[in-house]
Amino acid sequence: MKLSVEDLQDVGRGAAFLGTGGGGDPYIGRMLATHAIREYGMPEIIDVEALDDDAAVYTIAMLGAPTVLAEKAACGDDVDLALSRMEKYTGRKADAIIPIEIGGVNSMLPIMAAARTGLPLVDADGMGRAFPEIQMVSFNIYGVSCTPLVMTDEHLNSLVVETGHAKRAEDLERVASIEMGCSVILSSYPMTGRQVKETAVRQTMTLALEIGRAIRRGRRADNPVGELSRYLATTPYYSHCRVLFDGKVVDLRRETTQGFARGHCTLQALDGGAGEMEVIFQNEHLIAREDGRVRAMVPDLICMVDSDTAEPVPVEALKYGQRLKVMGVSAPPILRTPEALEIIGPQAFGLNETFVPVEEL
């Protein structure tokens, strides 16, 4: 896969769609990646199968509340420090970098890191979307240890977390991230090439790029949501997709608490009817109910886009009066297995519903 600086806008827009409301603002990540590429050059993007089985592959990501991530970006030295601390702790130099999630800013930060270090970037991630907590990745679901986990901040403070359980690592790093300003750099899930091949959601950088391109093509044809839906229907993961609701934001509650952006958004139908849709979020959208009836739920994707331009609208950018289409999209099959649903299904977020695929609702 070859990327250009011009492609970054499409990758960022596609990643914002796959962020399902969370993952941080990809605009900030795109600015960071563009600056790094202009200074160090475009990194090589490689397929999972290009990795040697014993290669050392490290993740890099930003972690925190999206409302804070929008105001406090990475400085670059904090990214380098996270990787160098991981290499020192494991005793192995990195052979490649992999995103932990493809949604939002965390699709772009690994491009920045790969450009700065000269390491190749793997075309895959651990979610095929975004999730709010560190244990909610395919790497953990299928047996890769989350730790050692390295955290750094803009003052180049760092700490290493070691624990035998990914949820415990999430609890510890979440407390530490609040103390470090609710926006930190993270490297976790050190893996071999074999483990990446066995657990990653593949080719998601390519899919983000093509989603962004589909929206751009659709705008030229004055039908961006239609073109986006047509492209998604051709993909291996997101083929079950449809517009669930077309409405205007009439109520919004959003607060940053315990390191997350939590709340709900209510939309009123634009067709003149009395119908309403409520979308609940914890950084990412969790469940969409139309007049009390569930229309989509995690781990399937619930994406809100501008009704006219199909621009993805993250949680931190929701505003009263916006006209939005709510789309339901199937998650990658690797996220719909029984073992995956124990960690990323509705009940993992405190919801009472049992998961039903979006195509069956």
Side-chain angles (χ1 to χ4, degrees):
M1 177 186 182
K2 298 285 186 184
L3 275 182
S4 67
V5 170
E6 290 70 30
D7 288 329
L8 294 183
Q9 186 162 12
D10 287 331
V11 173
R13 184 167 286 125
F17 181 81
L18 295 175
T20 70
D25 188 347
Y27 173 79
I28 295 169
R30 180 161 61 87
M31 294 299 101
L32 295 172
T34 299
H35 180 78
I37 289 166
R38 286 179 174 155
E39 186 170 358
Y40 301 99
M42 180 63 73
E44 181 185 10
I45 313 294
I46 62 172
D47 187 78
V48 167
E49 292 300 326
L51 291 167
D52 292 336
D53 283 355
D54 64 349
V57 186
Y58 299 149
T59 68
I60 195 78
M62 290 183 78
L63 179 140
T67 43
V68 178
L69 296 179
E71 299 178 358
K72 190 158 83 81
C75 67
D77 290 341
D78 45 4
V79 174
D80 299 345
L81 179 62
L83 287 171
S84 64
R85 286 294 310 270
M86 180 63 86
E87 289 176 331
K88 183 177 180 181
Y89 198 83
T90 61
R92 286 202 62 184
K93 287 286 188 183
D95 295 308
I97 293 172
I98 186 171
I100 197 167
E101 64 181 352
I102 195 60
V105 67
N106 281 332
S107 64
M108 291 288 168
L109 196 75
I111 297 176
M112 173 198 185
R116 290 178 65 90
T117 59
L119 292 167
L121 179 65
V122 182
D123 185 6
D125 77 302
M127 302 184 191
R129 48 162 294 162
F131 278 117
E133 299 186 22
I134 194 70
Q135 78 276 14
M136 296 176 170
V137 298
S138 57
F139 310 140
N140 173 50
I141 293 167
Y142 298 104
V144 178
S145 174
C146 178
T147 63
L149 178 154
V150 177
M151 300 174 67
T152 63
D153 67 13
E154 74 275 23
H155 303 295
L156 303 186
N157 298 305
S158 66
L159 61 88
V160 178
V161 175
E162 265 285 15
T163 179
H165 196 279
K167 181 61 171 72
R168 182 59 177 156
E170 160 67 24
D171 294 341
L172 293 172
E173 54 83 5
R174 187 66 57 177
V175 171
S177 73
I178 294 171
E179 180 62 28
M180 297 168 83
C182 270
S183 174
V184 297
I185 303 299
L186 190 77
S187 184
S188 58
Y189 292 102
M191 286 177 281
T192 65
R194 169 56 58 187
Q195 288 174 310
V196 173
K197 294 172 185 175
E198 291 173 348
T199 65
V201 184
R202 300 184 179 207
Q203 296 188 313
T204 46
M205 187 68 70
T206 299
L207 288 164
L209 172 63
E210 294 302 329
I211 288 170
R213 286 175 172 171
I215 293 172
R216 183 157 50 88
R217 282 195 307 273
R219 290 178 181 176
R220 288 199 296 265
D222 200 26
N223 187 17
V225 175
E227 184 62 28
L228 172 61
S229 297
R230 276 193 289 277
Y231 171 68
L232 291 171
T234 69
T235 64
Y237 307 145
Y238 312 119
S239 55
H240 299 289
C241 61
R242 62 177 181 271
V243 174
L244 303 176
F245 199 80
D246 188 1
K248 182 175 72 174
V249 177
V250 295
D251 189 32
L252 175 66
R253 182 178 66 81
R254 178 181 52 214
E255 59 181 353
T256 302
T257 176
Q258 298 178 315
F260 299 106
R262 299 177 188 267
H264 72 264
C265 176
T266 303
L267 301 100
Q268 192 170 62
L270 289 175
D271 60 4
E276 286 192 344
M277 172 163 279
E278 181 190 51
V279 178
I280 306 291
F281 53 81
Q282 177 189 331
N283 288 8
E284 287 76 32
H285 304 137
L286 302 178
I287 192 166
R289 300 185 181 97
E290 182 177 3
D291 298 328
R293 182 170 72 90
V294 175
R295 299 294 309 279
M297 67 183 88
V298 285
D300 284 342
L301 289 69
I302 301 165
C303 308
M304 291 202 236
V305 300
D306 182 273
S307 291
D308 295 325
T309 66
E311 187 70 24
V313 179
V315 161
E316 64 270 23
L318 288 171
K319 296 176 183 174
Y320 183 85
Q322 281 175 321
R323 294 174 179 243
L324 305 174
K325 292 184 189 294
V326 182
M327 299 182 68
V329 183
S330 53
I334 197 173
L335 303 184
R336 288 173 152 194
T337 64
E339 55 266 49
L341 292 175
E342 287 184 10
I343 296 173
I344 56 175
Q347 290 157 14
F349 295 92
L351 300 170
N352 293 324
E353 287 82 355
T354 298
F355 175 70
V356 179
V358 66
E359 63 270 27
E360 298 177 15
L361 288 170

